[in-house]
Amino acid sequence: MYGIELHELQIIKYADGRLEKIFMIKKIAVLTSGGDAPGMNAAVRAVVRTALSKGMEVYGVRRGYVGLLTGDIFQMDERSVTDIIHRGGTILYTARCPEFRTEEGVAKARAKCEELGIEGLVVIGGDGSFRGAADLSAKGMLCIGIPGTIDNDISCTDYTIGFDTAMNTAMELVDKLRDTSQSHDRISVVEVMGRGAGHIAVNTGVACGATDIITQEVPYDLDTIAKVMLEKQSKGKKNFVVVVAEGIGHSQEIAAILQEKTGIEARATILGHVQRGGNPTLRDRVEATRMGNYAVELLEQGVGNRVVALKDNKLVDYDIQEALSMKKPYDEKLHRMAETIAF
Ligand code: ADP
Ligand code: F6P
């Protein structure tokens, strides 16, 4: 645990003689960093309202670590987060900040927090943002990470804020593609987001009844896919939906190869950033709210250098370095199941 010397220690004595130590944190800040995700606003709201309910002062930092370096920091009150729980994007803006990756950048950010008397920081973002939070923690700042990314690629947690909304958006769009694919007897190759992980692709593929799902985690072969498509065509199937994870890339090329090998007309569609926008689903609002609340409870106890995680629907927390070293399994069983019933 770092930075305890900064915080006031209170000892509560209960009637039964029990003693409880509470580190009184008076000023905290919150920022969103890396790629935005629907539900980040709900998390910001929960952080602000929880902190206020505990008598803390709370500050918003604009554009992630950029705002910490430039001092783009403002005090938030209960009305600062009115009417945002249902909105996509992030009212705090987000950014990538190369300067923060340097030793000098982290020292500058630490000095800015000290100057403003900010003792605790909630960082809503992905693995990269958590690496930054670990660096800042090593300089004595109490930092808590909240997993926010549509990719659900943060290993220590079952769920990341934005995943459900992004998948629902992708599902609706693939449904629309299926309509036109069906009318034209075509192959529709559709690329969904997920640079380093196929979680969005496999779930969207299952939800849309895709003929094929192509992700980095499971080996694939276009010759075999084309051959099986022709077999299915001979049994009456006329249109095909192939969901490809962004990390595979080459969707245009995949469509061209499948068209050449099967003789079936193919089109490729890259869904792109539309998957990052839109009103968060109920699940994203609820998980974001729970995580935001939990993050402030950790800070209240003087705990830092932790990442909030959801495990079997329970909130837990991990040391940031430990969280970053974990590996997340891919649901290969779901992938194989989808293949088995796609005929
Ligand atoms: P995400 O948090 O979604 O993974 P990035 O990887 O872009 O997004 O990281 C967001 C920001 O976190 C970066 O712009 C940088 O300021 C900071 N960051 C990323 N990686 C590191 C690192 N290794 N050390 C320190 N800070 C980092
Ligand atoms: O990490 C979320 C994500 O949307 C990835 O799926 C995607 O590869 C990446 O961010 C895109 O980032 P950018 O905002 O830089 O285009």
Short mmCIF file of all heavy atoms in Angstrom, two decimals, residues 203-226:
data_model
loop_
_atom_site.label_atom_id
_atom_site.label_comp_id
_atom_site.label_asym_id
_atom_site.label_seq_id
_atom_site.Cartn_x
_atom_site.Cartn_y
_atom_site.Cartn_z
N ASN A 203 -19.40 -13.98 -29.49
CA ASN A 203 -20.76 -13.78 -28.95
C ASN A 203 -21.71 -13.24 -30.01
O ASN A 203 -22.86 -13.65 -30.10
CB ASN A 203 -20.71 -12.86 -27.73
CG ASN A 203 -20.20 -13.59 -26.50
OD1 ASN A 203 -20.92 -14.37 -25.90
ND2 ASN A 203 -18.94 -13.38 -26.16
N THR A 204 -21.21 -12.29 -30.81
CA THR A 204 -22.06 -11.74 -31.88
C THR A 204 -22.37 -12.83 -32.89
O THR A 204 -23.51 -12.95 -33.37
CB THR A 204 -21.34 -10.55 -32.57
OG1 THR A 204 -20.97 -9.61 -31.58
CG2 THR A 204 -22.24 -9.88 -33.59
N GLY A 205 -21.37 -13.63 -33.19
CA GLY A 205 -21.56 -14.72 -34.15
C GLY A 205 -22.64 -15.68 -33.68
O GLY A 205 -23.53 -16.07 -34.45
N VAL A 206 -22.61 -16.04 -32.41
CA VAL A 206 -23.62 -16.96 -31.87
C VAL A 206 -24.99 -16.29 -31.92
O VAL A 206 -25.98 -16.88 -32.37
CB VAL A 206 -23.26 -17.38 -30.42
CG1 VAL A 206 -24.43 -18.11 -29.76
CG2 VAL A 206 -22.02 -18.26 -30.42
N ALA A 207 -25.04 -15.03 -31.47
CA ALA A 207 -26.33 -14.33 -31.39
C ALA A 207 -26.96 -14.13 -32.77
O ALA A 207 -28.18 -14.01 -32.88
CB ALA A 207 -26.15 -12.98 -30.69
N CYS A 208 -26.14 -14.07 -33.80
CA CYS A 208 -26.66 -13.81 -35.15
C CYS A 208 -26.75 -15.09 -35.98
O CYS A 208 -27.08 -15.03 -37.16
CB CYS A 208 -25.78 -12.79 -35.87
SG CYS A 208 -25.80 -11.19 -35.08
N GLY A 209 -26.42 -16.21 -35.38
CA GLY A 209 -26.48 -17.47 -36.13
C GLY A 209 -25.53 -17.45 -37.31
O GLY A 209 -25.87 -17.92 -38.41
N ALA A 210 -24.32 -16.92 -37.11
CA ALA A 210 -23.36 -16.82 -38.21
C ALA A 210 -22.99 -18.21 -38.73
O ALA A 210 -22.96 -19.19 -37.98
CB ALA A 210 -22.09 -16.11 -37.73
N THR A 211 -22.70 -18.26 -40.01
CA THR A 211 -22.27 -19.53 -40.61
C THR A 211 -20.85 -19.86 -40.14
O THR A 211 -20.51 -21.00 -39.90
CB THR A 211 -22.23 -19.40 -42.17
OG1 THR A 211 -23.17 -18.43 -42.57
CG2 THR A 211 -22.50 -20.72 -42.81
N ASP A 212 -20.02 -18.81 -40.05
CA ASP A 212 -18.64 -19.00 -39.60
C ASP A 212 -18.21 -17.85 -38.70
O ASP A 212 -18.67 -16.72 -38.87
CB ASP A 212 -17.68 -19.04 -40.80
CG ASP A 212 -17.93 -20.26 -41.66
OD1 ASP A 212 -17.46 -21.34 -41.31
OD2 ASP A 212 -18.66 -20.11 -42.68
N ILE A 213 -17.34 -18.17 -37.76
CA ILE A 213 -16.76 -17.15 -36.88
C ILE A 213 -15.24 -17.29 -37.01
O ILE A 213 -14.71 -18.40 -36.86
CB ILE A 213 -17.19 -17.37 -35.41
CG1 ILE A 213 -18.72 -17.30 -35.29
CG2 ILE A 213 -16.53 -16.35 -34.49
CD1 ILE A 213 -19.28 -17.77 -33.94
N ILE A 214 -14.58 -16.17 -37.29
CA ILE A 214 -13.12 -16.24 -37.45
C ILE A 214 -12.47 -15.33 -36.42
O ILE A 214 -12.68 -14.11 -36.43
CB ILE A 214 -12.69 -15.83 -38.88
CG1 ILE A 214 -13.40 -16.71 -39.92
CG2 ILE A 214 -11.18 -15.93 -39.03
CD1 ILE A 214 -13.03 -16.41 -41.38
N THR A 215 -11.73 -15.93 -35.49
CA THR A 215 -11.03 -15.15 -34.45
C THR A 215 -9.58 -15.62 -34.37
O THR A 215 -9.24 -16.71 -34.88
CB THR A 215 -11.69 -15.33 -33.06
OG1 THR A 215 -11.53 -16.70 -32.66
CG2 THR A 215 -13.16 -14.98 -33.07
N GLN A 216 -8.76 -14.82 -33.68
CA GLN A 216 -7.33 -15.17 -33.54
C GLN A 216 -7.16 -16.43 -32.69
O GLN A 216 -6.15 -17.12 -32.79
CB GLN A 216 -6.53 -14.07 -32.82
CG GLN A 216 -6.58 -12.69 -33.43
CD GLN A 216 -7.62 -11.82 -32.74
OE1 GLN A 216 -8.81 -12.09 -32.80
NE2 GLN A 216 -7.18 -10.75 -32.08
N GLU A 217 -8.11 -16.69 -31.83
CA GLU A 217 -7.93 -17.74 -30.84
C GLU A 217 -8.12 -19.16 -31.39
O GLU A 217 -7.67 -20.12 -30.78
CB GLU A 217 -8.92 -17.54 -29.66
CG GLU A 217 -8.60 -16.32 -28.79
CD GLU A 217 -9.25 -15.03 -29.28
OE1 GLU A 217 -9.75 -15.00 -30.44
OE2 GLU A 217 -9.26 -14.06 -28.51
N VAL A 218 -8.83 -19.26 -32.52
CA VAL A 218 -9.12 -20.59 -33.07
C VAL A 218 -8.59 -20.65 -34.51
O VAL A 218 -8.95 -19.80 -35.33
CB VAL A 218 -10.66 -20.86 -33.04
CG1 VAL A 218 -11.00 -22.18 -33.71
CG2 VAL A 218 -11.17 -20.85 -31.60
N PRO A 219 -7.74 -21.63 -34.82
CA PRO A 219 -7.20 -21.70 -36.19
C PRO A 219 -8.32 -21.85 -37.23
O PRO A 219 -9.34 -22.49 -36.95
CB PRO A 219 -6.33 -22.96 -36.16
CG PRO A 219 -6.13 -23.29 -34.73
CD PRO A 219 -7.28 -22.71 -33.96
N TYR A 220 -8.11 -21.25 -38.38
CA TYR A 220 -9.13 -21.37 -39.43
C TYR A 220 -8.44 -21.55 -40.77
O TYR A 220 -7.26 -21.27 -40.91
CB TYR A 220 -10.02 -20.11 -39.46
CG TYR A 220 -9.29 -18.88 -39.96
CD1 TYR A 220 -9.41 -18.46 -41.29
CD2 TYR A 220 -8.44 -18.16 -39.13
CE1 TYR A 220 -8.72 -17.35 -41.75
CE2 TYR A 220 -7.74 -17.06 -39.59
CZ TYR A 220 -7.89 -16.65 -40.90
OH TYR A 220 -7.19 -15.58 -41.35
N ASP A 221 -9.23 -22.01 -41.74
CA ASP A 221 -8.66 -22.26 -43.06
C ASP A 221 -9.73 -21.90 -44.10
O ASP A 221 -10.82 -22.47 -44.10
CB ASP A 221 -8.26 -23.75 -43.13
CG ASP A 221 -7.90 -24.17 -44.53
OD1 ASP A 221 -7.17 -23.41 -45.20
OD2 ASP A 221 -8.37 -25.24 -44.97
N LEU A 222 -9.44 -20.93 -44.95
CA LEU A 222 -10.45 -20.43 -45.89
C LEU A 222 -10.84 -21.49 -46.93
O LEU A 222 -11.99 -21.52 -47.38
CB LEU A 222 -9.97 -19.15 -46.58
CG LEU A 222 -9.84 -17.93 -45.65
CD1 LEU A 222 -9.37 -16.70 -46.43
CD2 LEU A 222 -11.15 -17.62 -44.94
N ASP A 223 -9.91 -22.38 -47.26
CA ASP A 223 -10.25 -23.46 -48.20
C ASP A 223 -11.36 -24.33 -47.61
O ASP A 223 -12.34 -24.66 -48.29
CB ASP A 223 -9.02 -24.36 -48.45
CG ASP A 223 -8.07 -23.72 -49.44
OD1 ASP A 223 -8.54 -22.96 -50.31
OD2 ASP A 223 -6.86 -23.94 -49.31
N THR A 224 -11.18 -24.68 -46.32
CA THR A 224 -12.18 -25.52 -45.66
C THR A 224 -13.50 -24.78 -45.54
O THR A 224 -14.58 -25.34 -45.81
CB THR A 224 -11.68 -25.93 -44.25
OG1 THR A 224 -10.36 -26.40 -44.38
CG2 THR A 224 -12.56 -26.96 -43.61
N ILE A 225 -13.43 -23.50 -45.15
CA ILE A 225 -14.68 -22.72 -44.99
C ILE A 225 -15.43 -22.69 -46.32
O ILE A 225 -16.65 -22.93 -46.38
CB ILE A 225 -14.36 -21.29 -44.48
CG1 ILE A 225 -13.87 -21.36 -43.02
CG2 ILE A 225 -15.59 -20.37 -44.59
CD1 ILE A 225 -13.46 -20.02 -42.41
N ALA A 226 -14.70 -22.46 -47.42
CA ALA A 226 -15.34 -22.39 -48.75
C ALA A 226 -15.93 -23.75 -49.13
O ALA A 226 -17.07 -23.83 -49.63
CB ALA A 226 -14.30 -21.96 -49.78
#
